[in-house]
Amino acid sequence: MKNSFRIFTRLGGVRYYAAFGSKDLKIDGVKDVIAVASGKGGVGKSTTAVNLAVALASKCQLKVGLLDADVYGPSVPMMMKIDQKPEVTKDMKMVPIENYGVKCMSMGFLVPSSSPVVWRGPMVMSALRKMSREVDWGNLDILVIDMPPGTGDAQLTTTQTLQLSGALIVSTPQDVALIDARKGITMFSKVQVPILGLVENMSCFICPHCSEPSFIFGKGGTHKTAAEMGLKVIGEIPIEMDIRKGSDDGVPVVISAPDSIVSRAYGEVAVNVVNRLQELAKEQEHPESNSTSGGACFLGDQFDELGC
C-alpha cells in the first residue's frame, strides 16, 4: 500500500489519482465527477453546488448532473423546484429529473419532505451507491455532487466508489468555518482527491443604499488558509437577498438574476472549475512534468509523516 501511494503526483499540495484510478470507479458516460464540500454545515455549500451546476449548464453550455448526497438533509428538491419521483427504466435504473438544464437525483425525491431519514451508516452508504451508480445519467460532461457536511461515512463512501476528478471546498471567511474547511481538505488529500480550489461564500455584504461592503464574517481568512495550504481561492460569493430568495423559491439566482453581481461570481467559479479540470487533465497526460515547491508541499508532507 505504501509503494502504491508513492506513485501519485502532487499538485497544489495534493497528490491526485483521477487518471490512475480503477476504471470500475467511473460512471459510464460521465466525463468528470466533482464534489462540492465544506466540512461544516451552514456555510452555503448546497447553494453553491446548485448555482455552480446551473452555471456550468447555462453559461458554459455543458451537460451537467447534480447528485444530492446529503441523505439526512436533502436541499436539491426545493432549490431546483422539483416535486416528483424519478421514473425507472426497464433495466431498473432511476431516471434523473431535469430542471434548468441539469439532471438531478436526491433522496428528497424518494421520501416525503416531512419524513426524516433515520438510518445508520451502512444504509446511507447503500443509498449513495444506488443514487450514483443505479441512475441513468446518460452522457454528462460534469456530475456535481453536493456533499453532506463532515468527514464521515458519506464522504468515504463517495471517494471509494466514484472516481472523483476533484473537490471544491466552500467556506465563509470566519475562522470557525475555516477550521472545518481545513479538515475537509485534509480528508480529500488522504484519499488522493485533488482540490480544485476554495470558494469563499458570504465574502461580504454590499449595502444596497451606499454600495459599501461590510465584512460580516471577517476578511481575508479564506485567502490566508488557501495560501498556507498551497491552494487557490477560485471564487468569492457576496451575501445577497436574491440568493436566499432564489433558493426558497426554487429558482437559482443564476437563472432569476443572470446579470447580477452574484450570478457573475457563480459564473466565474464555473469557468474556473472547468479550467482547473482541464489543467488536471493535461497534468495527467504528462505526469513527469508535475512538481511542487514551497507551501504547495503542505499536504503531501502530511502523507509522508503518516507513512503513506
Side-chain angles (χ1 to χ4, degrees):
M1 183 175 181
K2 181 183 293 186
N3 291 334
S4 65
F5 275 164
R6 291 196 182 280
I7 69 172
F8 296 118
T9 306
R10 298 180 185 181
L11 180 63
V14 182
R15 295 179 218 169
Y16 61 89
Y17 77 101
F20 306 102
S22 170
K23 291 183 179 180
D24 293 338
L25 299 182
K26 290 185 69 67
I27 300 176
D28 290 340
V30 179
K31 182 179 179 182
D32 284 304
V33 180
I34 65 171
V36 179
S38 63
K40 189 177 192 67
V43 298
K45 170 188 52 59
S46 293
T47 303
T48 301
V50 165
N51 281 282
L52 170 62
V54 176
L56 287 168
S58 62
K59 297 181 182 295
C60 300
Q61 299 296 301
L62 298 177
K63 296 177 181 178
V64 182
L66 176 61
L67 171 59
D68 187 350
D70 194 341
V71 172
Y72 295 120
S75 300
V76 166
M78 174 177 283
M79 290 184 173
M80 291 294 283
K81 206 172 189 176
I82 298 175
D83 185 19
Q84 63 185 88
K85 291 186 177 181
E87 297 180 353
V88 180
T89 64
K90 292 181 179 179
D91 55 354
M92 301 306 293
K93 284 193 172 185
M94 292 183 287
V95 179
I97 303 170
E98 185 171 341
N99 201 11
Y100 307 120
V102 176
K103 295 180 178 180
C104 304
M105 181 53 61
S106 171
M107 179 58 67
F109 300 161
L110 307 174
V111 298
S113 59
S114 59
S115 298
V117 176
V118 188
W119 287 351
R120 294 187 184 276
M123 291 189 68
V124 173
M125 291 185 282
S126 176
L128 289 175
R129 292 190 188 97
K130 291 180 183 297
M131 289 195 297
S132 57
R133 296 201 163 275
E134 296 182 23
V135 172
D136 185 10
W137 291 107
N139 293 320
L140 296 179
D141 295 306
I142 298 179
L143 174 62
V144 177
I145 303 181
D146 177 18
M147 299 292 291
T151 55
D153 287 342
Q155 287 76 13
L156 287 175
T157 296
T158 301
T159 58
Q160 290 170 354
T161 59
L162 295 176
Q163 185 172 319
L164 296 180
S165 301
L168 185 65
I169 306 299
V170 181
S171 180
T172 66
Q174 187 177 7
D175 289 342
V176 171
L178 288 166
I179 290 173
D180 291 322
R182 285 174 176 269
K183 293 176 183 177
I185 292 169
T186 304
M187 185 275 294
F188 280 112
S189 70
K190 284 183 178 179
V191 292
Q192 314 297 330
V193 175
I195 304 299
L196 302 176
L198 282 78
V199 173
E200 184 177 84
N201 199 32
M202 310 181 200
S203 59
C204 68
F205 172 74
I206 300 175
C207 178
H209 304 294
C210 66
S211 299
E212 285 293 320
S214 296
F215 299 94
I216 299 171
F217 294 102
K219 182 180 181 181
T222 308
H223 285 271
K224 180 181 178 182
T225 296
E228 290 174 351
M229 304 189 82
L231 301 170
K232 293 182 180 179
V233 175
I234 65 169
E236 298 180 16
I237 312 298
I239 301 174
E240 277 195 14
M241 191 177 298
D242 285 344
I243 300 177
R244 190 277 306 162
K245 188 176 186 302
S247 297
D248 289 346
D249 293 343
V251 185
V253 70
V254 295
I255 296 294
S256 63
D259 298 323
S260 65
I261 293 175
V262 71
S263 290
R264 291 199 296 271
Y266 281 123
E268 290 175 3
V269 172
V271 171
N272 287 334
V273 165
V274 172
N275 290 339
R276 187 76 174 94
L277 290 172
Q278 291 175 346
E279 289 175 4
L280 286 172
K282 291 179 181 178
E283 295 288 351
Q284 292 162 6
E285 291 174 0
H286 306 285
E288 69 280 357
S289 66
N290 297 332
S291 64
T292 57
S293 61
C297 296
F298 181 83
L299 292 176
D301 292 342
Q302 288 191 345
F303 277 109
D304 293 334
E305 292 173 6
L306 291 171
C308 296

